[in-house]
Amino acid sequence: MSGARTSTLATLRGAIERLEAGETRHAVARVELGHRGADATLQGGVVRSALHEVFAPETRQTASATAFAAGLAWRCAMSRPLLWVRQDFGPGETGALSMGGLAELGLDPRRIVMVQATDIDMALRVTADALACSALGAVVLDVWGGARQFDSVASRKLTLAAQASGITCLVLRTAAVPVANTAETRWIVRSARSRTRSPWDAWGAPQLDVALVRNRHGQTGQWIMEWMCDECLFREPSAHSQPAAATPSYRPPAPPAVAHRRAG
C-alpha cells in the first residue's frame, strides 16, 4: 500500500512540475480575442485548456470585469454551453447577473447555466466537477472577497482539470487581492469612456480598460478594448462609436460657389 501511495505522489509531483514548467502533452489551443495588440502579446490568443483570472479592482468596476469575463468565456466556449458558478450571497454584494444584460452584449442566455453555491467550498467542487464535463465549453467561477480556500492548491486542481478536459476555466474575483497561483493569465478590468462625437449620438459600444498583469508564457500589456456585440469579439476602439451614414445618392450636387461683387 505504501508503494502505491509513493507512486501516486510521484505522479502528482511530476504533473505539478510539468505544469509549473509550462510543459503540456498536447498542442496548445488558443482562442483569439479579436484585439490585434492583445492577441499579438498572447502569441495568438488565450489558451483554452487553462485557468485565467479576471479582477475587478474596486466593487464599482464589477460590471466591467463581469462583461469582460463573459465575453472571454463566450469566445472560449466555442458554441458550447457556458456554466457560471456564483456564491449565493453574491447578488447581495455585487448585484444579480442579468440575462437581459448578457443578451444585450450579444450572448445567448439559453447557452448559459447558472449555479448558486452555498459557500466557496461548494463552488470549488462544482467548478471542478464541471471541468470534467465534455459538453461544456467554459466554466466561470465567480468569487467575492478574499476566499482563502482559493489558494495555490485549489488553483492547481482546477488547472489540471482544465488541461485534462480542454475546457477553459475563468475565475472572476471581486474585492480580492491577487495571490500566487497557477493561472495562465491575470487581467484587471476597469470601465472606459465610450467615444461619442455629438450630444445627439447614442452611447457607443462598450469599452474596457484592460490590463494583462500576468502572462505565464509571454509579455504583459494594457489596452482599451471595444466589445462588438454583433460579432462577439473585442477590437481596437473605432474612431466613431457609431457607423457614419453614407451620402444619399439622390441628393443633388452642391451649386458651385459664386463670388459676389459690390456694385459701384
Side-chain angles (χ1 to χ4, degrees), residues 139-186:
V139 179
V140 177
L141 173 59
D142 193 343
V143 181
W144 188 91
R148 59 180 178 80
Q149 294 91 334
F150 186 70
D151 54 14
S152 59
V153 175
S155 70
R156 282 194 185 101
K157 290 180 180 178
L158 295 182
T159 298
L160 290 172
Q163 285 186 345
S165 64
I167 300 174
T168 308
C169 181
L170 282 90
V171 181
L172 175 60
R173 307 294 308 275
T174 305
V177 177
V179 296
N181 57 32
T182 59
E184 179 76 17
T185 62
R186 180 177 296 134

Side-chain angles (χ1 to χ4, degrees), residues 175-196:
V177 177
V179 296
N181 57 32
T182 59
E184 179 76 17
T185 62
R186 180 177 296 134
W187 308 79
I188 296 179
V189 183
R190 298 176 174 85
S191 60
R193 186 185 298 273
S194 294
R195 301 181 181 226
T196 55

Side-chain angles (χ1 to χ4, degrees), residues 4-35:
R5 285 201 204 95
T6 303
S7 177
T8 302
L9 183 59
T11 301
L12 290 174
R13 284 176 175 169
I16 292 172
E17 288 174 359
R18 289 191 299 272
L19 173 63
E20 292 177 343
E23 297 174 2
T24 56
R25 292 176 297 174
H26 306 286
V28 175
R30 297 181 183 271
V31 176
E32 293 183 347
L33 278 69
H35 188 284

Side-chain angles (χ1 to χ4, degrees), residues 199-220:
W200 54 84
D201 279 339
W203 52 82
Q207 296 203 51
L208 305 170
D209 183 351
V210 180
L212 174 62
V213 298
R214 172 181 169 83
N215 181 6
R216 293 191 67 206
H217 300 103
Q219 299 178 339
T220 57

